[in-house]
Amino acid sequence: MAQVEATTERIVASDADTVFDAVADYSGTRSKLLPEQFSEYEVREGGDGEGTLVHWRLQATSKRVRDCLMEVTEPTDGELVEKDRNSSMVTTWRVTPAGEGRARVVITTVWNGASGIGGFFERTFAPKGLARIYDAVLARLAAEVEK
């Protein structure tokens, strides 16, 4: 199995602390950021950064739906890591200053892909599809924090 990786980033017109607080707010802001590909969103433990356990279903394509149960950690300042208990998927959010009143948000998701021809198509197309989904998340994040 080869590792598959999808990365998306955006500069947001708000300071890094405000942006990070919004991203880490699973019980409030986070659900507002999710496009239609996410459903059944539910905070099961915690709700603010480290120690949060959150569930959602991610419909990446018409046939591909992942049931995600994400454990959240904050390994360093400005970084959230969401590890799926149901798969090898790990999503890392990094929020860093990007100049006066601006922040760079980078979302990287990695997982162990399938082997064979299915794995080839997964490695080729899944990162682009996931990047489109996270582009929508980042656009909603920008709209939320740039108010």
Side-chain angles (χ1 to χ4, degrees):
M1 287 189 276
Q3 192 171 60
V4 182
E5 181 176 317
T7 300
T8 308
E9 72 176 80
R10 182 181 184 116
I11 301 293
V12 177
S14 187
D15 67 273
D17 288 338
T18 300
V19 174
F20 184 80
D21 289 347
V23 169
D25 181 16
Y26 290 89
S27 62
T29 306
R30 184 61 84 88
S31 65
K32 299 176 193 174
L33 308 181
L34 302 178
E36 63 277 358
Q37 290 89 350
F38 291 86
S39 63
E40 299 181 27
Y41 182 88
E42 175 189 20
V43 175
R44 296 192 177 168
E45 293 175 18
D48 185 23
E50 177 92 26
T52 297
L53 182 65
V54 63
H55 171 267
W56 61 69
R57 290 175 56 82
L58 173 60
Q59 184 158 2
T61 69
S62 61
K63 295 180 182 177
R64 181 71 173 147
V65 179
R66 281 185 184 255
D67 187 69
C68 302
L69 184 58
M70 309 301 273
E71 291 180 350
V72 179
T73 59
E74 291 184 36
T76 61
D77 286 348
E79 184 177 71
L80 281 174
V81 176
E82 302 168 343
K83 292 183 180 177
D84 188 9
R85 286 186 178 175
N86 298 330
S87 73
S88 63
M89 187 166 65
V90 177
T91 298
T92 303
W93 294 71
R94 286 186 185 86
V95 181
T96 55
E100 187 67 33
R102 294 161 48 101
R104 170 177 278 110
V105 184
V106 180
I107 306 170
T108 303
T109 300
V110 295
W111 69 94
N112 296 329
S115 58
I117 191 71
F120 168 78
F121 285 106
E122 182 178 23
R123 288 186 304 279
T124 302
F125 297 108
K128 293 174 187 149
L130 195 55
R132 277 192 302 276
I133 293 168
Y134 278 117
D135 278 340
V137 171
L138 291 176
R140 289 173 180 222
L141 172 63
E144 186 69 26
V145 299
E146 293 174 357
K147 290 180 180 177

